[in-house]
Amino acid sequence: MTVLSEQEFRTKSVEALEDARRALLPLADTGEGFEVELQNGVLNLVFEEPTETKFVVSPNAPVRQIWVSAMARSYKLSWAPELGAFTLNGEALPQLLDRLTRTFLDTSA
């Protein structure tokens, strides 16, 4: 595991959240009932339909991870230099959020 400096972590986490936001916009634009908001370094997926729910994605600088709170679970992603991404079990942040979003929308429909 590669430990990033605080500055490297800040830069890479900002890029990762922006990449995840961009990756989710096409799904949000299909009228699936959720919005993607990136404010103050925190990415929120806000669902209005079928139930009001929020996924929160935030950097955790002290441990150099990105944490995702979604569907009553916590996901902690670490930097994987070989993939150039924050991952959990080899799954990069944008793919994890896409999967969780689709799972939530499918199970809540």
Side-chain angles (χ1 to χ4, degrees):
M1 181 174 90
T2 301
V3 177
L4 300 172
S5 71
E6 186 171 342
Q7 185 58 43
E8 288 172 323
F9 174 76
R10 287 178 195 268
T11 300
K12 291 184 184 307
S13 64
V14 166
E15 291 170 359
L17 292 180
E18 180 57 36
D19 289 347
R21 185 189 71 80
R22 275 196 307 271
L24 287 166
L25 285 176
L27 182 59
D29 289 344
T30 64
E32 289 288 347
F34 76 99
E35 294 181 15
V36 182
E37 303 169 348
L38 181 57
Q39 297 177 335
N40 301 319
V42 176
L43 181 66
N44 291 299
L45 282 67
V46 181
F47 298 86
E48 297 167 3
E49 300 282 331
T51 58
E52 287 188 26
T53 301
K54 183 187 285 190
F55 293 1
V56 179
V57 184
S58 58
N60 188 319
V63 293
R64 308 292 197 268
Q65 293 178 325
I66 291 181
W67 289 6
V68 178
S69 175
M71 301 188 321
R73 286 199 52 202
S74 177
Y75 302 85
K76 298 175 181 176
L77 292 83
S78 298
W79 180 250
E82 67 281 4
L83 299 174
F86 287 92
T87 66
L88 177 63
N89 300 323
E91 187 175 29
L93 179 62
Q95 289 74 35
L96 173 68
L97 292 176
D98 183 83
R99 180 173 59 81
L100 293 174
T101 299
R102 291 177 189 276
T103 299
F104 175 76
L105 293 170
D106 289 346
T107 59
S108 300

